[in-house]
Amino acid sequence: MDCFSDALWVATAGCLEPLALGRLRAAGRGVAADLSTHARIIIDEVLTTSVPDPLARLHYEEMFGSCVPGILLRRRWLLEIDSATQHHQWRAESSVARLMQGVNLDGGDFFCSLRRAYLAAQVPSLAKSVVVVHWMHILGAVEEQDPVQAKWMSQQAWREVASSITAETVLWCVQSAHFIDDLTVFRFGLLLGAKTAGAARPGRLASQP
């Protein structure tokens, strides 16, 4: 079964007695397929309602894959980590940390993306994900206190994720460049934006290797 079918059975299990659920399973794949169609629509609506910003949904998809139930589950992990994280437990108090603390987890700008990546790095099963690691490199670059080192680290970090940047998400690269005052990264972002403007697939980021 696909991820929607799995999510359907999990949701149904919470509403039915075990005997009724067993009978439903025994009814055959046809029933499951029909219910899965409705479940897919409902789950898509739940994601859109929970995360109305399209850039935030793109970032969740980049980090967690395209399976919507999987995105919702992992987003819930981030919310749990966020609610359990006290003010003093965030990274060293800095302008970046303050900005990350002050933004909406489901927002679409650069610092919202940093907040999501930071929280994902606190979840053992997500911490070693290639995408999360790359975003932690970006976070490390903007937190670097030495301006020269910060610019070099930022250039390297954005090159790591260049293949996944779209005409929509290039905004993050430009915001990062503005924050560290690096014209090289700014131009790099504009160049990526120009290259991806005609090739980007709406609603989806390119998969990481």
Side-chain angles (χ1 to χ4, degrees):
M1 293 191 292
D2 63 19
C3 65
F4 279 94
S5 298
D6 292 339
L8 168 66
W9 286 115
V10 171
T12 307
C15 304
L16 298 178
E17 294 294 329
L19 180 59
L21 181 62
R23 288 173 177 171
L24 181 60
R25 279 185 176 274
R29 292 182 176 273
V31 173
D34 290 341
L35 291 176
S36 293
T37 300
H38 296 291
R40 185 183 298 270
I41 294 171
I42 293 170
I43 293 172
D44 279 341
E45 290 178 351
V46 169
L47 178 61
T48 303
T49 302
S50 302
V51 188
D53 193 297
L55 282 178
R57 293 198 299 271
L58 282 172
H59 193 224
Y60 279 124
E61 182 177 339
E62 181 187 11
M63 290 196 299
F64 303 147
S66 61
C67 177
V68 175
I71 292 175
L72 289 170
L73 174 62
R74 289 162 180 79
R75 173 179 173 271
R76 187 175 68 185
W77 294 349
L78 301 196
L79 291 170
E80 292 172 352
I81 293 289
D82 194 25
S83 64
T85 302
Q86 301 300 314
H87 180 82
H88 67 276
Q89 292 175 304
W90 280 83
R91 295 167 72 91
E93 186 64 19
S94 65
S95 59
V96 177
R98 288 192 293 271
L99 287 168
M100 287 168 56
Q101 287 174 292
V103 298
N104 183 349
L105 179 66
D106 297 320
D109 76 10
F110 174 58
F111 290 98
C112 300
S113 299
L114 290 180
R115 183 184 183 97
R116 287 188 289 271
Y118 172 70
L119 292 171
Q122 313 310 307
V123 180
S125 62
L126 302 177
K128 294 184 179 180
S129 158
V130 172
V131 178
V132 173
V133 169
H134 285 171
W135 270 93
M136 290 303 289
H137 291 167
I138 293 171
L139 174 56
V142 296
E143 283 194 319
E144 174 57 48
Q145 298 299 303
D146 181 276
V148 176
Q149 185 72 2
K151 291 175 182 179
W152 180 85
M153 291 171 63
S154 184
Q155 291 167 22
Q156 300 303 310
W158 281 108
R159 285 192 176 94
E160 289 179 344
V161 299
S163 65
S164 68
I165 293 177
T166 70
E168 295 87 359
T169 62
V170 72
L171 169 69
W172 300 329
C173 184
V174 173
Q175 289 178 320
S176 168
H178 178 72
F179 183 80
I180 62 174
D181 194 25
D182 187 354
L183 190 59
T184 299
V185 172
F186 181 76
R187 288 173 175 166
F188 179 65
L190 292 182
L191 178 62
L192 284 172
K195 286 183 176 180
T196 58
R201 291 179 295 168
R204 182 174 177 83
L205 282 172
S207 299
Q208 291 290 337

